[in-house]
Amino acid sequence: MKKENQTVIIVGAGPSGLSVAASLTNQSIPYIILERENCFASLWKKYAYDRLHLHLKKQFCELPHKPFPPSFPSYIPKEKFLQYLEDYVSHFKINPVYHRTVEYAEFDEGCEKWKVKAVNKDSGEVEEYDGRFLVVASGETSDPFVPEIEGLKSFGGKVIHSTRFKNGKEFKDEHVLVVGSGNSGMEIALDLINHGAKTSILVRSPVHILSKGMLNLGLFMMKYLSMKIVDSLMVMLSKLVYGDMTNYGVGRPNEGPFYMKVKYGKYPVVNVGTYQKIKSKELKVLPTEIECLSGNNVLFKNGELHTFDSIIFCTGFKRSTHKWLKGDDYLLSDDGIPKQSYPFHWKGKNGLYCVGLSRRGLYGAAQDAENVANDVRSIMQEI
């Protein structure tokens, strides 16, 4: 069991953790990053589908202290973003400690330090780390979630979470059910259709559909106008461009798109071609929940019965922070989301921080990282 003392312990080496590391480096503050995977940005490197692009223009997605190269397109594809992250890690000399799963973290009042225990997945050894500050940067998308459904284990075809989907090639000519109508679900459904799969998508709740232009316009307007006004304008534009989708099985929520993003973490759907597939009925919408499965037959709560060859769950993620973070009754709720409202969400007590949990994407994570580094520097100067 080895024991290490660090000024700052960062949990997670995704874009949030890398942002913190760079911001601390910029302030000459020592740190260590503990990462459970064997690489940084594992969600992007290992668990993202091929066609993934950033939906926001690149200026909203930069990590701190290093802009995207001018040659990069406005909307950056996965490969370019990974190239940027590689350059980022190299530039700031970030060296995460990989294969370390944090199982326990608690503040010790006596020595005024965070005591962190992590399992070395290579050796099985439990390692201990002491740090004056602890940063939770494990992200909103840490643990893939698949709902429990009666009979799911009896399904005879392929059942995967969206993190295991790369492209639709292997599903050609299959009947595929996509469960979940967020951006991942809509894009995966589009990719399946483009590769010749007969695709249905389960849309269990109303969604806002916006174009990339609308979304970026909304973010720009949020600098000058209230969220309520911006939401009203976005809904008006969406109605003008996409019309009433109710007859196609897609309803529009009563609450505005930006309000829902901040309050529930429910992002508006950015249309990259799926809307056209719904209108042409190439993509079949099933606006109800699954009752149960029996073999490859799926019974829905409206009484419809359909047969599928494969099911892809685009049902999001859960966070497991509550399982290892002890003694925190202020910063994070049981679901791993900050209890405090923006912009006070990032700072807890006793040197505890969180980054990338404000439901404001990469831009929000960058802001959080800068706040944390500045706060740590301020506290250290007072000691």
Side-chain angles (χ1 to χ4, degrees):
M1 180 186 292
K2 77 173 183 179
K3 193 167 186 176
E4 293 191 9
N5 290 287
Q6 300 289 336
T7 302
V8 183
I9 300 172
I10 304 169
V11 181
S16 296
L18 300 181
S19 295
V20 180
S23 298
L24 292 172
T25 297
N26 203 47
Q27 305 272 12
S28 299
I29 299 170
Y31 66 87
I32 189 171
I33 302 183
L34 303 177
E35 168 57 48
R36 67 183 180 182
E37 296 278 357
N38 63 354
C39 62
F40 62 85
S42 61
L43 187 66
W44 286 87
K45 283 190 171 185
K46 298 166 65 174
Y47 305 118
Y49 45 90
D50 294 344
R51 63 167 290 122
L52 181 63
H53 284 63
L54 296 176
H55 286 148
L56 300 178
K57 286 187 175 179
K58 59 185 180 182
Q59 60 263 35
F60 293 110
C61 303
E62 294 173 344
L63 274 57
H65 312 295
K66 187 171 175 58
F68 287 111
S71 60
F72 275 30
S74 294
Y75 296 97
I76 297 176
K78 181 179 76 169
E79 293 76 16
K80 290 285 188 182
F81 187 62
L82 286 172
Q83 179 187 327
Y84 168 75
L85 292 180
E86 292 279 359
D87 293 341
Y88 194 86
V89 167
S90 175
H91 178 81
F92 291 104
K93 297 179 173 59
I94 302 171
N95 294 296
V97 181
Y98 295 119
H99 276 171
R100 299 310 193 272
T101 301
V102 174
E103 293 199 336
Y104 176 88
E106 187 170 25
F107 187 73
D108 188 318
E109 299 280 356
C111 64
E112 295 188 334
K113 288 186 177 181
W114 284 92
K115 302 286 186 179
V116 177
K117 293 182 181 180
V119 175
N120 182 328
K121 291 166 68 174
D122 293 323
S123 67
E125 181 184 21
V126 176
E127 300 171 350
E128 293 187 0
Y129 301 85
D130 288 356
R132 175 62 185 85
F133 306 94
L134 176 66
V135 182
V136 177
S138 45
E140 295 179 38
T141 55
S142 57
D143 299 302
F145 171 71
V146 174
E148 293 185 8
I149 301 174
E150 182 183 343
L152 182 58
K153 291 181 179 179
S154 73
F155 187 76
K158 178 176 287 188
V159 177
I160 61 172
H161 187 267
S162 59
T163 51
R164 299 295 177 182
F165 179 87
K166 292 302 177 185
N167 58 64
K169 290 180 183 177
E170 64 181 291
F171 300 94
K172 184 179 180 181
D173 296 325
E174 287 191 8
H175 288 85
V176 183
L177 173 63
V178 176
V179 181
S181 56
N183 281 295
S184 293
M186 290 291 190
E187 289 200 30
I188 286 173
L190 175 63
D191 197 66
L192 287 164
I193 292 169
N194 289 341
H195 283 92
K198 302 170 184 67
T199 310
S200 299
I201 188 168
L202 181 56
V203 182
R204 294 172 293 176
S205 57
V207 296
H208 287 288
I209 301 177
L210 304 178
S211 68
K212 287 182 179 180
M214 291 177 200
L215 186 61
N216 283 278
L217 174 63
L219 284 175
F220 173 77
M221 293 170 66
M222 288 277 283
K223 296 179 181 179
Y224 309 101
L225 301 172
S226 70
M227 182 183 295
K228 186 176 181 179
I229 292 174
V230 174
D231 271 345
S232 296
L233 291 170
M234 291 300 103
V235 170
M236 179 184 70
L237 286 172
S238 181
K239 287 180 178 178
L240 286 172
V241 174
Y242 301 114
D244 185 1
M245 295 287 289
T246 307
N247 291 335
Y248 298 93
V250 182
R252 183 178 283 111
N254 294 322
E255 296 169 310
F258 286 97
Y259 176 81
M260 291 181 69
K261 178 177 177 289
V262 171
K263 186 171 182 179
Y264 310 115
K266 188 174 177 63
Y267 288 71
V269 169
V270 180
N271 177 50
V272 292
T274 314
Y275 159 77
Q276 287 81 359
K277 299 299 184 183
I278 293 173
K279 291 276 281 190
S280 68
K281 298 187 178 179
E282 291 177 79
L283 176 59
K284 183 174 182 179
V285 175
L286 301 171
T288 185
E289 294 193 30
I290 297 173
E291 181 71 40
C292 63
L293 287 84
S294 178
N296 285 43
N297 296 316
V298 181
L299 177 65
F300 293 87
K301 290 192 174 180
N302 63 358
E304 291 185 17
L305 183 69
H306 298 276
T307 302
F308 296 99
D309 300 302
S310 297
I311 301 176
I312 301 172
F313 282 95
C314 303
T315 43
F317 299 81
K318 296 289 186 181
R319 291 150 294 278
S320 55
T321 318
H322 66 284
K323 294 180 181 179
W324 55 265
L325 181 60
K326 309 299 179 184
D328 168 45
D329 58 357
Y330 176 80
L331 183 61
L332 300 176
S333 58
D334 287 344
D335 66 356
I337 296 298
K339 292 181 179 179
Q340 310 305 316
S341 299
Y342 178 89
F344 309 107
H345 61 282
W346 57 273
K347 183 177 181 179
K349 298 176 180 179
N350 300 318
L352 176 65
Y353 305 98
C354 67
V355 172
L357 295 174
S358 65
R359 290 170 170 163
R360 283 172 165 76
L362 294 167
Y363 181 75
Q367 287 183 319
D368 293 346
E370 283 288 88
N371 287 336
V372 169
N374 291 333
D375 200 61
V376 168
R377 181 193 61 181
S378 177
I379 293 173
M380 289 181 66
Q381 288 175 344
E382 294 174 1
I383 295 175

